[in-house]
């Protein structure tokens, strides 16, 4: 009985001592003053004295609990403080999860407790740590850190009193953190108010306050005299603002004011105001209505002189209107010129065919009926004439096709692109191509466009791909497509000779060729026709390639179909 009494007496004395230390710590007021680092240092010293632990430290978890960093470590024997050590929590997940759940970690022997055994042995040996008592520190609604007691030299059996003190001191740390946060917030608020007041009085924004129930202005910033010419006191005159509104704006501005104030709705409006000088100023008024017990009691806001902005807007509007008129006029002239050029191209190309055919026919007659009168040089020259007339005929055919692609009226309808591509390939590919080429046709989104022009587009692209892939060892064509953000994108990829990407911008020009005509025949119009057809449907076309690595041509079309109007000059 005496022994129990002595234990209770000792426990009471220790509780009294710990309470005195905690009260003394609180009485200093450091933590309440918001000096967090100094507060933590005092707390760790007090903890060491209360529990008699050699090492007491406070640690903060990162927001994602990936690391834990020492904020303050107090070593009792040296009476010294240090900080900065950081450890990765991934190496001791069981230990970390215990804290996150709000549990204390009480380890008499750190090498045998499964939670503390995860922490690197090197850390314990370096500091001669044998026992550990950790208490989570709660910040608002989450565990933000821990208060750690580390016993060195020999193992220690932690008592209930030790645990109680640890919990109490962890709460003191939480209070210190909250005090520091509050102190920082209050300081920031004071500085913000000071800056705001200084800024409000130095800018061109005129702050004001209006008492709705008393129907009078209670405050107007002093810069109002500099901007509008009236002293702040003038604005306290009844109906001052109303009387100085521009006559053309007065009725609607008052109605808007009354409606918004009566409903308690914040609002912004712009109106004209008569300055003391008699000049007219445009003002932008940003108004906030204060509601108390359901009734509007005050209105606050700021007026900004936007006269120069309004003048600039009016000048810009006039300039835009004039620019639109000039653009429309020039566009009309340009479209007229383009239309005339296309008509001229069509007419000339068509008219040239007759004499070309005559030349070709006469040369053929000479070769068939008068060959015996021609020497070897004569035969060579006639064959050269026929070759060039045939080449010219191909060029004319290309120009006529280009002209038709530009002039033909669009007849938009749904198009099954898969069926169209398969049909075009079957028409173009001879037996040699079908036997030597690998043709992959992926799914293609359906299109909305002119079937005749789209078929011509695919004919040109597939013919082009076959032509430039014939010399390759591996002959492969792949056609695919996808839809994204309302745009259908299609592509054709070959394994042919490719081209230098620095010349990609020349691909779609008329008569532009990137390869020697001796190697690859063609008029140089096919891709120009492709571009014209794509543009007419409101899309874009481009190509990617490297020499010897094939080429990929992409073209996009609006999923909903071509635009209702088309600019033939594009």
């Amino acid at each position: 009985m005496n022994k129990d009494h002595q234990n209770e007496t000792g426990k009471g004395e220790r509780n009294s001592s710990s309470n005195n230390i905690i009260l003394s710590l609180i009485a200093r007021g450091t933590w309440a003053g918001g000096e967090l680092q100094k507060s933590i240092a005092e707390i760790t010293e007090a903890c060491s004295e209360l529990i008699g632990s050699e090492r007491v430290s406070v640690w903060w978890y990162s927001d994602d609990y990936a690391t834990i960093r020492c904020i303050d470590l107090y070593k009792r024997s040296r009476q010294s403080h240090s900080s900065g050590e950081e450890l990765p929590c991934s190496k001791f997940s069981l230990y970390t999860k215990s804290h996150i759940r709000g549990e204390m970690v009480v380890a008499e022997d750190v090498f045998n407790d499964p939670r503390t055994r995860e922490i690197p042995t090197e850390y314990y040996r370096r500091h001669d740590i044998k026992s550990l008592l950790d208490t989570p520190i709660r910040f608002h609604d989450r565990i933000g850190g821990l208060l750690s007691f580390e016993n060195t030299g020999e193992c220690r059996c932690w008592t209930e009193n030790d645990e109680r003190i640890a919990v109490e001191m962890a709460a003191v740390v939480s209070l210190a953190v909250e005090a520091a946060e509050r102190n920082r917030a209050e300081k920031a608020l004071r500085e913000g108010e000071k800056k705001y007041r200084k800024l409000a009085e130095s800018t061109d924004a005129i702050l004001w306050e209006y008492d709705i129930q008393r129907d009078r202005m209670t405050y107007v910033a002093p810069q109002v005299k500099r901007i509008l010419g009236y002293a702040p006191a003038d604005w306290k005159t009844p109906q001052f603002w109303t009387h100085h509104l521009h006559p053309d704006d007065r009725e609607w501005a008052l109605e808007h004011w009354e409606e918004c104030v009566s409903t308690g709705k914040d609002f912004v409006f712009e109106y004209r105001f008569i300055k003391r000088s008699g000049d007219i100023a445009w003002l932008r008024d940003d108004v906030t209505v204060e509601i108390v017990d359901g009734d509007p009691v005050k209105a606050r806001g700021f007026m900004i002189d936007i006269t120069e902005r309004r003048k600039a807007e009016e000048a810009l509007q006039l300039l835009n209107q004039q620019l639109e008129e000039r653009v429309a006029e020039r566009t009309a002239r340009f479209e007229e010129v383009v239309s005339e050029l296309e008509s001229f191209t069509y007419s000339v190309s068509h008219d040239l065919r007759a004499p070309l055919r005559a030349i070709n026919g006469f040369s053929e007659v000479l070769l068939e009926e008068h060959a015996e009168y021609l020497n070897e040089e004569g035969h060579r020259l006639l064959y050269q004439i026929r070759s060039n007339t045939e080449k010219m005929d191909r060029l004319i055919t290309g120009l006529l096709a280009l002209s038709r692609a530009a002039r033909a009226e669009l007849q938009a309808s749904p198009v099954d692109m898969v069926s169209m591509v398969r049909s075009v390939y079957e028409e173009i590919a001879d037996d040699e191509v079908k036997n030597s080429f690998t043709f992959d046709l992926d799914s293609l989104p359906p299109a909305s466009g002119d079937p005749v022009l789209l078929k011509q587009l695919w004919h040109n692209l597939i013919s082009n791909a076959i032509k430039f892939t014939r010399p390759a060892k591996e002959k492969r064509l792949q056609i695919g497509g996808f839809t994204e953000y309302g745009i259908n994108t299609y592509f054709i990829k070959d394994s042919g000779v490719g081209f230098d990407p620095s010349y990609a911008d020349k691909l779609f020009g008329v008569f532009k060729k990137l390869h020697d005509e001796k190697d690859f025949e063609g008029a140089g119009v096919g891709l120009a026709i492709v571009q014209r057809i794509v543009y007419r449907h409101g899309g874009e076309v481009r190509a990617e390639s490297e020499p010897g690595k094939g080429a990929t041509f992409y073209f996009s079309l609006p999923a909903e179909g071509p635009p209702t109007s088309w600019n033939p000059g594009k």
Side-chain angles (χ1 to χ4, degrees), residues 517-536:
E517 189 174 352
K518 291 184 296 184
D519 299 324
F520 300 98
E521 290 186 355
V525 182
L527 292 180
I529 293 174
V530 167
Q531 185 186 61
R532 186 63 62 91
I533 293 172
V534 171
Y535 281 176
R536 288 205 62 186

Side-chain angles (χ1 to χ4, degrees), residues 231-243:
D234 296 337
W235 290 75
K236 297 181 180 180
T237 304
Q239 302 299 310
F240 179 85
W241 177 75
T242 302
H243 293 157

Side-chain angles (χ1 to χ4, degrees), residues 184-306:
R184 283 196 298 269
E186 291 174 351
K187 184 179 180 181
L189 180 61
R190 289 193 299 271
E191 292 177 353
E193 289 177 347
K194 183 178 179 181
K195 290 178 181 178
Y196 179 76
R197 191 178 301 109
K198 185 177 180 180
L199 178 65
E201 294 180 358
S202 63
T203 65
D204 289 338
I206 306 169
L207 274 71
W208 55 267
E209 183 180 70
Y210 181 79
D211 189 325
I212 296 174
Q213 296 182 342
R214 296 183 181 181
D215 193 23
R216 67 184 182 91
M217 195 74 78
T218 55
Y219 172 81
V220 179
Q223 61 265 38
V224 69
K225 184 173 179 61
R226 170 173 57 84
I227 298 171
L228 298 177
Y230 302 106
D234 296 337
W235 290 75
K236 297 181 180 180
T237 304
Q239 302 299 310
F240 179 85
W241 177 75
T242 302
H243 293 157
H244 290 82
L245 287 170
H246 190 283
D248 292 343
D249 294 343
R250 186 174 297 148
E251 182 176 354
W252 75 261
L254 284 174
E255 289 178 357
H256 188 67
W257 165 270
E258 293 292 344
E259 178 185 355
C260 294
V261 167
S262 63
T263 58
K265 183 173 66 175
D266 298 346
F267 60 99
V268 178
F269 63 142
E270 297 178 1
Y271 52 84
R272 287 168 289 181
F273 194 82
I274 303 172
K275 301 167 67 171
R276 180 180 286 276
S277 63
D279 295 332
I280 304 299
W282 271 99
L283 298 180
R284 173 188 170 90
D285 220 340
D286 195 315
V287 185
T288 301
V289 180
E290 180 183 349
I291 305 295
V292 176
D293 297 330
D295 295 322
V297 294
K298 287 186 178 181
R300 299 183 182 89
F302 56 89
M303 297 178 288
I304 300 176
D305 186 346
I306 58 169

Side-chain angles (χ1 to χ4, degrees), residues 307-555:
T307 305
E308 293 304 317
R309 193 201 78 187
R310 276 283 189 161
K311 289 180 179 178
E313 288 175 352
E314 291 173 1
L316 182 61
Q317 184 177 6
L318 178 61
L319 181 62
N320 285 338
Q321 182 179 349
Q322 294 172 346
L323 182 61
E324 287 176 1
E325 291 173 356
R326 289 200 295 270
V327 168
E329 181 181 349
R330 291 179 182 178
T331 300
R333 288 205 300 267
F334 180 69
E335 291 178 355
E336 182 180 352
V337 170
V338 170
S339 179
E340 290 175 357
L341 283 173
E342 289 177 345
S343 297
F344 176 76
T345 302
Y346 184 84
S347 177
V348 169
S349 300
H350 188 272
D351 293 345
L352 281 175
R353 276 192 149 176
L356 276 176
R357 287 170 178 168
I359 294 171
N360 197 38
F362 289 140
S363 62
E364 185 178 1
V365 170
L366 284 173
L367 286 171
E368 290 179 354
E369 299 182 8
H370 305 282
E372 67 272 15
Y373 301 109
L374 298 174
N375 58 19
E376 184 178 346
E377 179 64 13
H379 278 275
R380 188 188 68 80
L381 291 175
L382 278 175
Y383 280 119
Q384 191 68 30
I385 290 172
R386 285 178 58 80
S387 174
N388 281 292
T389 55
E390 288 172 359
K391 178 181 177 182
M392 190 66 180
D393 188 64
R394 288 197 299 271
L395 293 176
I396 290 172
T397 300
L399 284 174
L400 289 172
L402 179 64
S403 180
R404 281 193 295 271
R407 293 157 58 88
E409 183 179 351
L410 282 180
Q411 301 291 335
S413 64
V415 177
D416 182 343
M417 293 295 245
V418 173
S419 298
M420 177 175 284
V421 169
R422 188 177 288 113
S423 171
V424 170
Y425 180 75
E426 289 294 328
E427 291 176 10
I428 296 174
D430 54 25
D431 292 338
E432 179 191 351
V433 169
K434 292 178 181 178
N435 292 331
S436 60
F437 275 66
T438 300
F439 179 63
D440 296 326
L441 176 57
D442 302 334
S443 62
L444 300 175
S448 176
D450 189 300
V452 175
L453 292 180
L454 290 180
K455 185 174 182 179
Q456 180 69 54
L457 180 153
W458 280 116
H459 186 282
N460 290 9
L461 287 176
I462 295 173
S463 298
N464 194 68
I466 291 174
K467 177 171 63 176
F468 289 102
T469 305
R470 282 183 185 273
K473 291 183 178 180
E474 181 187 0
K475 301 174 178 61
R476 177 180 293 274
L477 296 184
Q478 180 187 2
I479 297 177
F482 56 89
T483 301
E484 191 173 40
Y485 304 117
I487 300 294
N488 292 340
T489 299
Y490 306 89
F491 67 85
I492 176 169
K493 182 177 183 180
D494 64 59
S495 60
V497 297
F499 59 84
D500 186 339
S502 61
Y503 296 106
D505 58 329
K506 297 182 179 180
L507 275 175
F508 301 99
V510 180
F511 303 142
K512 298 294 184 181
K513 299 181 180 180
L514 302 187
H515 300 88
D516 196 317
E517 189 174 352
K518 291 184 296 184
D519 299 324
F520 300 98
E521 290 186 355
V525 182
L527 292 180
I529 293 174
V530 167
Q531 185 186 61
R532 186 63 62 91
I533 293 172
V534 171
Y535 281 176
R536 288 205 62 186
H537 283 78
E540 298 289 339
V541 61
R542 61 186 176 88
E544 296 177 355
S545 180
E546 288 184 37
K549 296 184 178 181
T552 304
F553 285 80
Y554 298 88
F555 69 91

